[in-house]
Amino acid sequence: MTARIIDGKAIAADLRGKVAGEVKRLTQAHGLTPGLAVVLAGNNPASESYVGSKAKVTLETGMRSFDHRLPASVSQPELLALVKQLNADPAVHGILVQLPLPEQVDASAVLNAIDPAKDVDGFHPVNAGRLASGLPALAPCTPLGCILLAKTVHASLTGMEAVVIGRSNIVGKPLLQLLLAENATVTVAHSRTRDLPAVCRRADLVFAAVGRPEMVRADWIKPGAIVIDVGINRVPAANGKSRIVGDVAYAEAAEVAGAITPVPGGVGPMTIACLMVNTVRAACATAGLPPPAV
Ligand code: NAD
Protein backbone atom coordinates (compact mmCIF):
# COMPACT_ATOMS: atom_id res chain seq x y z
CA MET A 1 0.00 0.00 0.00
CA THR A 2 1.45 3.33 -1.02
CA ALA A 3 -1.52 5.70 -0.64
CA ARG A 4 -2.16 7.82 2.38
CA ILE A 5 -5.51 6.81 3.87
CA ILE A 6 -7.85 9.76 4.28
CA ASP A 7 -9.46 9.05 7.65
CA GLY A 8 -13.00 10.38 7.19
CA LYS A 9 -14.03 9.19 10.64
CA ALA A 10 -11.37 11.25 12.41
CA ILE A 11 -11.81 14.28 10.12
CA ALA A 12 -15.59 14.20 10.69
CA ALA A 13 -15.12 13.93 14.47
CA ASP A 14 -12.87 16.98 14.35
CA LEU A 15 -15.46 18.90 12.29
CA ARG A 16 -18.28 17.94 14.69
CA GLY A 17 -16.12 19.27 17.53
CA LYS A 18 -15.74 22.60 15.70
CA VAL A 19 -19.51 22.74 15.11
CA ALA A 20 -20.12 22.10 18.83
CA GLY A 21 -17.78 25.01 19.62
CA GLU A 22 -19.70 27.34 17.30
CA VAL A 23 -23.05 26.20 18.72
CA LYS A 24 -21.82 26.95 22.23
CA ARG A 25 -20.61 30.39 21.17
CA LEU A 26 -23.90 31.21 19.39
CA THR A 27 -25.96 30.04 22.36
CA GLN A 28 -23.89 32.01 24.89
CA ALA A 29 -23.30 35.19 22.90
CA HIS A 30 -26.56 35.46 20.98
CA GLY A 31 -29.07 33.16 22.71
CA LEU A 32 -29.27 31.28 19.40
CA THR A 33 -29.43 27.49 19.58
CA PRO A 34 -29.63 26.03 16.05
CA GLY A 35 -32.40 23.47 15.56
CA LEU A 36 -32.71 20.69 12.97
CA ALA A 37 -36.02 19.02 12.10
CA VAL A 38 -35.86 15.60 10.47
CA VAL A 39 -38.92 14.12 8.80
CA LEU A 40 -39.16 10.37 8.26
CA ALA A 41 -42.13 8.78 6.48
CA GLY A 42 -42.46 5.00 6.70
CA ASN A 43 -40.05 2.49 8.21
CA ASN A 44 -37.32 1.80 5.68
CA PRO A 45 -34.58 0.31 7.95
CA ALA A 46 -31.71 2.21 6.27
CA SER A 47 -33.63 5.51 6.55
CA GLU A 48 -34.45 4.82 10.22
CA SER A 49 -30.78 4.24 10.91
CA TYR A 50 -29.71 7.47 9.09
CA VAL A 51 -32.37 9.53 10.88
CA GLY A 52 -31.34 8.06 14.25
CA SER A 53 -27.67 8.97 13.63
CA LYS A 54 -28.60 12.49 12.52
CA ALA A 55 -30.67 13.13 15.65
CA LYS A 56 -27.90 11.75 17.88
CA VAL A 57 -25.20 13.95 16.32
CA THR A 58 -27.49 17.01 16.38
CA LEU A 59 -27.90 16.65 20.15
CA GLU A 60 -24.18 15.84 20.68
CA THR A 61 -23.20 19.09 18.98
CA GLY A 62 -25.49 21.03 21.33
CA MET A 63 -28.27 21.76 18.83
CA ARG A 64 -31.97 21.10 19.18
CA SER A 65 -33.36 18.07 17.34
CA PHE A 66 -36.98 17.77 16.22
CA ASP A 67 -38.02 14.30 15.11
CA HIS A 68 -41.14 13.85 12.99
CA ARG A 69 -42.12 10.24 12.26
CA LEU A 70 -45.02 9.67 9.91
CA PRO A 71 -46.65 6.41 8.78
CA ALA A 72 -45.85 4.96 5.32
CA SER A 73 -49.47 5.75 4.41
CA VAL A 74 -48.94 9.52 4.87
CA SER A 75 -50.57 11.61 2.14
CA GLN A 76 -48.88 14.37 0.18
CA PRO A 77 -51.10 17.12 1.68
CA GLU A 78 -50.20 15.88 5.20
CA LEU A 79 -46.48 16.03 4.42
CA LEU A 80 -46.79 19.45 2.79
CA ALA A 81 -48.69 20.71 5.85
CA LEU A 82 -45.85 19.52 8.12
CA VAL A 83 -43.22 21.22 5.93
CA LYS A 84 -45.27 24.43 6.03
CA GLN A 85 -45.46 24.24 9.84
CA LEU A 86 -41.66 23.69 10.09
CA ASN A 87 -40.99 26.56 7.65
CA ALA A 88 -42.90 28.85 10.03
CA ASP A 89 -41.32 27.55 13.27
CA PRO A 90 -38.59 29.98 14.48
CA ALA A 91 -36.88 27.23 16.56
CA VAL A 92 -36.28 25.20 13.40
CA HIS A 93 -33.32 26.44 11.31
CA GLY A 94 -32.87 23.34 9.17
CA ILE A 95 -35.38 20.91 7.66
CA LEU A 96 -34.41 17.53 6.28
CA VAL A 97 -36.95 15.24 4.65
CA GLN A 98 -35.42 11.77 4.52
CA LEU A 99 -35.56 10.12 1.09
CA PRO A 100 -36.94 7.89 -0.33
CA LEU A 101 -40.52 8.99 0.37
CA PRO A 102 -43.46 6.55 0.04
CA GLU A 103 -44.54 6.09 -3.58
CA GLN A 104 -47.87 7.96 -3.25
CA VAL A 105 -45.90 11.14 -2.45
CA ASP A 106 -44.29 13.37 -5.09
CA ALA A 107 -40.83 13.80 -3.53
CA SER A 108 -39.84 16.84 -5.57
CA ALA A 109 -43.06 18.67 -4.61
CA VAL A 110 -42.23 18.09 -0.94
CA LEU A 111 -38.56 19.10 -1.27
CA ASN A 112 -39.53 22.20 -3.26
CA ALA A 113 -41.92 23.24 -0.47
CA ILE A 114 -39.04 23.58 2.02
CA ASP A 115 -38.01 27.20 2.67
CA PRO A 116 -34.66 27.48 0.77
CA ALA A 117 -33.19 29.24 3.85
CA LYS A 118 -33.87 26.04 5.87
CA ASP A 119 -32.92 23.58 3.11
CA VAL A 120 -29.90 22.02 4.86
CA ASP A 121 -29.81 19.13 2.36
CA GLY A 122 -29.25 21.71 -0.40
CA PHE A 123 -31.65 19.94 -2.79
CA HIS A 124 -34.02 22.88 -3.41
CA PRO A 125 -33.72 24.26 -6.99
CA VAL A 126 -33.12 27.74 -5.53
CA ASN A 127 -30.03 26.49 -3.69
CA ALA A 128 -28.88 24.45 -6.73
CA GLY A 129 -29.25 27.58 -8.87
CA ARG A 130 -27.51 29.83 -6.36
CA LEU A 131 -24.63 27.33 -6.10
CA ALA A 132 -24.32 27.21 -9.91
CA SER A 133 -24.36 31.03 -10.05
CA GLY A 134 -21.60 31.37 -7.47
CA LEU A 135 -23.95 32.94 -4.91
CA PRO A 136 -24.02 32.00 -1.22
CA ALA A 137 -26.05 28.78 -0.99
CA LEU A 138 -26.73 25.78 1.20
CA ALA A 139 -24.84 23.07 -0.74
CA PRO A 140 -25.56 19.33 -0.51
CA CYS A 141 -23.74 17.66 2.39
CA THR A 142 -22.02 14.72 0.66
CA PRO A 143 -20.24 16.87 -1.97
CA LEU A 144 -19.29 19.38 0.75
CA GLY A 145 -17.70 16.51 2.67
CA CYS A 146 -15.84 15.33 -0.45
CA ILE A 147 -14.25 18.75 -0.92
CA LEU A 148 -13.20 18.98 2.73
CA LEU A 149 -11.59 15.52 2.50
CA ALA A 150 -9.66 16.42 -0.68
CA LYS A 151 -8.47 19.62 0.98
CA THR A 152 -6.94 17.68 3.87
CA VAL A 153 -4.43 16.43 1.27
CA HIS A 154 -4.02 19.59 -0.83
CA ALA A 155 -5.10 22.79 0.92
CA SER A 156 -5.64 24.40 -2.50
CA LEU A 157 -7.32 22.58 -5.42
CA THR A 158 -6.60 25.47 -7.80
CA GLY A 159 -5.66 24.32 -11.29
CA MET A 160 -6.02 20.62 -10.48
CA GLU A 161 -7.69 18.27 -13.00
CA ALA A 162 -10.74 16.74 -11.33
CA VAL A 163 -12.90 13.95 -12.74
CA VAL A 164 -16.29 13.37 -11.15
CA ILE A 165 -17.90 10.06 -12.12
CA GLY A 166 -21.70 10.41 -11.79
CA ARG A 167 -24.01 13.32 -12.60
CA SER A 168 -26.77 13.05 -9.98
CA ASN A 169 -28.36 16.14 -8.44
CA ILE A 170 -27.36 14.84 -5.00
CA VAL A 171 -23.64 14.26 -5.62
CA GLY A 172 -22.17 14.69 -9.12
CA LYS A 173 -23.64 18.04 -10.19
CA PRO A 174 -23.15 19.93 -6.91
CA LEU A 175 -19.63 18.49 -6.69
CA LEU A 176 -18.94 20.01 -10.12
CA GLN A 177 -20.03 23.43 -8.84
CA LEU A 178 -18.04 23.18 -5.60
CA LEU A 179 -14.92 22.12 -7.53
CA LEU A 180 -15.31 25.05 -9.93
CA ALA A 181 -15.55 27.34 -6.91
CA GLU A 182 -12.23 25.82 -5.76
CA ASN A 183 -10.74 26.71 -9.18
CA ALA A 184 -10.28 23.08 -10.29
CA THR A 185 -10.65 22.07 -13.94
CA VAL A 186 -13.58 19.66 -13.89
CA THR A 187 -14.82 16.85 -16.12
CA VAL A 188 -18.11 15.18 -15.20
CA ALA A 189 -18.26 11.62 -16.52
CA HIS A 190 -21.38 9.43 -16.55
CA SER A 191 -22.94 6.27 -17.96
CA ARG A 192 -22.55 7.50 -21.57
CA THR A 193 -18.95 8.69 -21.27
CA ARG A 194 -16.65 7.18 -23.89
CA ASP A 195 -13.49 5.46 -22.61
CA LEU A 196 -14.02 6.26 -18.94
CA PRO A 197 -10.69 4.69 -17.86
CA ALA A 198 -8.80 7.11 -20.15
CA VAL A 199 -10.81 10.10 -18.88
CA CYS A 200 -10.11 9.04 -15.31
CA ARG A 201 -6.36 8.65 -15.92
CA ARG A 202 -6.13 12.41 -16.60
CA ALA A 203 -7.30 13.25 -13.09
CA ASP A 204 -5.31 14.59 -10.17
CA LEU A 205 -8.57 14.19 -8.23
CA VAL A 206 -11.02 11.35 -8.82
CA PHE A 207 -14.49 11.44 -7.26
CA ALA A 208 -16.47 8.23 -7.79
CA ALA A 209 -20.24 8.55 -7.21
CA VAL A 210 -21.78 5.82 -9.30
CA GLY A 211 -23.22 3.05 -7.14
CA ARG A 212 -21.31 0.20 -8.86
CA PRO A 213 -19.15 -1.96 -6.59
CA GLU A 214 -15.41 -1.56 -7.22
CA MET A 215 -15.88 -0.26 -10.76
CA VAL A 216 -12.84 2.05 -10.72
CA ARG A 217 -9.71 -0.06 -11.13
CA ALA A 218 -6.07 0.64 -10.31
CA ASP A 219 -5.14 1.18 -13.97
CA TRP A 220 -7.72 4.02 -14.21
CA ILE A 221 -5.77 6.05 -11.70
CA LYS A 222 -2.89 8.38 -12.37
CA PRO A 223 -0.04 7.60 -9.95
CA GLY A 224 -0.27 9.93 -6.96
CA ALA A 225 -3.88 11.03 -7.59
CA ILE A 226 -6.34 11.68 -4.77
CA VAL A 227 -9.27 9.26 -4.85
CA ILE A 228 -12.51 10.12 -3.05
CA ASP A 229 -14.95 7.19 -3.08
CA VAL A 230 -18.59 8.16 -2.50
CA GLY A 231 -20.09 4.77 -3.34
CA ILE A 232 -21.92 2.66 -0.79
CA ASN A 233 -22.59 -0.80 -2.20
CA ARG A 234 -23.70 -3.88 -0.31
CA VAL A 235 -22.15 -7.07 -1.73
CA PRO A 236 -22.21 -10.71 -0.56
CA ALA A 237 -19.39 -11.61 1.84
CA ALA A 238 -17.57 -14.93 2.16
CA ASN A 239 -19.33 -15.77 5.45
CA GLY A 240 -22.76 -15.68 3.77
CA LYS A 241 -23.47 -12.20 5.18
CA SER A 242 -22.90 -8.95 3.31
CA ARG A 243 -20.31 -6.20 3.41
CA ILE A 244 -20.10 -2.62 2.17
CA VAL A 245 -17.71 -1.66 -0.62
CA GLY A 246 -17.21 1.57 -2.54
CA ASP A 247 -17.16 2.34 -6.25
CA VAL A 248 -13.35 1.99 -6.25
CA ALA A 249 -11.40 -1.29 -6.04
CA TYR A 250 -9.78 -0.05 -2.84
CA ALA A 251 -6.91 -2.51 -2.29
CA GLU A 252 -5.49 -2.23 -5.80
CA ALA A 253 -6.22 1.51 -6.16
CA ALA A 254 -4.34 2.20 -2.92
CA GLU A 255 -1.18 0.83 -4.62
CA VAL A 256 -1.32 3.62 -7.21
CA ALA A 257 -3.13 6.59 -5.62
CA GLY A 258 -1.41 9.23 -3.53
CA ALA A 259 -4.32 9.35 -1.07
CA ILE A 260 -7.62 7.48 -0.89
CA THR A 261 -10.77 7.33 1.23
CA PRO A 262 -11.80 3.94 2.63
CA VAL A 263 -15.38 2.63 2.50
CA PRO A 264 -16.75 2.62 5.13
CA GLY A 265 -15.02 5.36 7.12
CA GLY A 266 -14.41 7.88 4.35
CA VAL A 267 -17.12 10.08 2.85
CA GLY A 268 -19.98 8.60 4.90
CA PRO A 269 -19.13 10.17 8.30
CA MET A 270 -18.48 13.53 6.60
CA THR A 271 -22.03 13.71 5.24
CA ILE A 272 -23.64 13.97 8.69
CA ALA A 273 -20.92 16.32 9.96
CA CYS A 274 -21.60 18.63 6.98
CA LEU A 275 -25.33 18.50 7.75
CA MET A 276 -24.46 19.97 11.14
CA VAL A 277 -22.32 22.63 9.44
CA ASN A 278 -25.23 23.54 7.14
CA THR A 279 -27.63 23.79 10.09
CA VAL A 280 -25.33 26.22 11.92
CA ARG A 281 -24.85 28.23 8.70
CA ALA A 282 -28.62 28.37 8.14
CA ALA A 283 -29.21 29.49 11.73
CA CYS A 284 -26.64 32.30 11.44
CA ALA A 285 -28.02 33.49 8.10
CA THR A 286 -31.60 33.53 9.40
CA ALA A 287 -30.54 35.42 12.54
CA GLY A 288 -28.63 37.99 10.44
CA LEU A 289 -25.31 36.98 12.02
CA PRO A 290 -22.03 36.58 10.10
CA PRO A 291 -21.34 33.04 8.77
CA PRO A 292 -19.94 30.68 11.47
CA ALA A 293 -16.27 29.70 11.53
CA VAL A 294 -17.02 26.22 10.15
P1 NAD B 1 -27.40 7.95 -8.83
O1 NAD B 1 -27.84 6.54 -9.12
O2 NAD B 1 -28.40 9.03 -8.71
O3 NAD B 1 -26.34 8.40 -9.91
C1 NAD B 1 -25.35 7.53 -10.40
C2 NAD B 1 -24.59 8.20 -11.51
O4 NAD B 1 -23.61 7.29 -11.98
C3 NAD B 1 -25.46 8.59 -12.70
O5 NAD B 1 -25.26 9.96 -12.97
C4 NAD B 1 -24.95 7.73 -13.86
O6 NAD B 1 -24.84 8.46 -15.09
C5 NAD B 1 -23.58 7.32 -13.40
N1 NAD B 1 -23.26 5.98 -13.88
C6 NAD B 1 -24.01 4.86 -13.82
N2 NAD B 1 -23.37 3.83 -14.40
C7 NAD B 1 -22.20 4.31 -14.84
C8 NAD B 1 -21.11 3.74 -15.53
N3 NAD B 1 -21.10 2.45 -15.88
N4 NAD B 1 -20.06 4.53 -15.83
C9 NAD B 1 -20.05 5.82 -15.48
N5 NAD B 1 -21.06 6.42 -14.81
C10 NAD B 1 -22.12 5.67 -14.51
O7 NAD B 1 -26.52 7.83 -7.50
P2 NAD B 1 -26.08 8.92 -6.38
O8 NAD B 1 -27.22 9.25 -5.55
O9 NAD B 1 -25.27 10.00 -7.01
O10 NAD B 1 -25.10 8.00 -5.52
C11 NAD B 1 -23.93 7.40 -6.06
C12 NAD B 1 -23.32 6.48 -5.03
O11 NAD B 1 -22.94 7.24 -3.90
C13 NAD B 1 -24.24 5.39 -4.51
O12 NAD B 1 -23.46 4.24 -4.23
C14 NAD B 1 -24.77 5.96 -3.22
O13 NAD B 1 -25.13 4.96 -2.29
C15 NAD B 1 -23.56 6.73 -2.74
N6 NAD B 1 -23.87 7.86 -1.85
C16 NAD B 1 -23.16 7.94 -0.70
C17 NAD B 1 -23.38 8.99 0.17
C18 NAD B 1 -22.55 9.08 1.41
O14 NAD B 1 -22.93 9.75 2.36
N7 NAD B 1 -21.38 8.46 1.44
C19 NAD B 1 -24.34 9.95 -0.12
C20 NAD B 1 -25.04 9.88 -1.33
C21 NAD B 1 -24.78 8.80 -2.19
Side-chain angles (χ1 to χ4, degrees):
M1 156 105 54
T2 54
R4 161 173 161 189
I5 296 168
I6 304 173
D7 185 349
K9 242 174 131 174
I11 297 163
D14 184 55
L15 184 56
R16 291 195 304 271
K18 289 185 176 135
V19 168
E22 279 300 285
V23 170
K24 197 170 170 194
R25 184 185 65 78
L26 289 168
T27 304
Q28 287 175 350
H30 302 282
L32 173 66
T33 302
L36 173 64
V38 177
V39 178
L40 173 63
N43 35 26
N44 174 322
S47 295
E48 280 186 343
S49 148
Y50 291 143
V51 163
S53 310
K54 286 166 188 171
K56 182 169 164 270
V57 177
T58 304
L59 294 172
E60 278 170 7
T61 48
M63 299 195 269
R64 298 180 72 191
S65 170
F66 305 94
D67 236 1
H68 293 270
R69 310 262 171 156
L70 302 167
S73 59
V74 66
S75 71
Q76 183 156 329
E78 283 169 323
L79 255 177
L80 289 173
L82 174 59
V83 168
K84 200 173 163 195
Q85 176 200 320
L86 297 172
N87 281 343
D89 185 341
V92 172
H93 302 96
I95 303 170
L96 183 146
V97 177
Q98 183 65 47
L99 300 176
L101 286 171
E103 57 184 14
Q104 72 277 12
V105 175
D106 175 356
S108 53
V110 173
L111 296 183
N112 294 356
I114 296 173
D115 178 350
K118 298 190 177 188
D119 169 40
V120 283
D121 249 344
F123 296 160
H124 195 289
V126 165
N127 277 315
R130 292 182 65 90
L131 185 65
S133 307
L135 296 168
L138 287 166
C141 304
T142 300
L144 273 179
C146 291
I147 297 286
L148 292 176
L149 290 176
K151 288 177 81 171
T152 63
V153 183
H154 287 287
S156 166
L157 308 183
T158 295
M160 294 183 94
E161 285 269 355
V163 169
V164 176
I165 316 174
R167 56 174 159 183
S168 71
N169 289 338
I170 294 176
V171 188
K173 282 186 206 153
L175 198 42
L176 157 68
Q177 303 300 348
L178 291 169
L179 284 163
L180 284 177
E182 295 289 337
N183 303 311
T185 302
V186 194
T187 302
V188 180
H190 47 77
S191 52
R192 310 289 176 88
T193 295
R194 244 183 288 149
D195 200 355
L196 182 56
V199 171
C200 223
R201 273 193 289 272
R202 297 203 302 256
D204 305 309
L205 296 164
V206 178
F207 297 87
V210 186
R212 289 183 163 237
E214 303 182 326
M215 183 183 85
V216 177
R217 312 303 309 193
D219 64 354
W220 296 26
I221 293 165
K222 179 158 103 175
I226 301 177
V227 178
I228 308 289
D229 188 352
V230 184
I232 301 177
N233 308 291
R234 196 169 280 281
V235 295
N239 59 6
K241 294 187 177 162
S242 64
R243 65 193 176 100
I244 303 281
V245 299
D247 289 342
V248 178
Y250 178 80
E252 59 177 67
E255 300 293 336
V256 184
I260 187 166
T261 57
V263 176
V267 174
M270 289 300 281
T271 297
I272 293 188
C274 288
L275 176 65
M276 302 302 126
V277 169
N278 271 352
T279 305
V280 178
R281 286 182 181 166
C284 287
T286 303
L289 295 170
V294 282

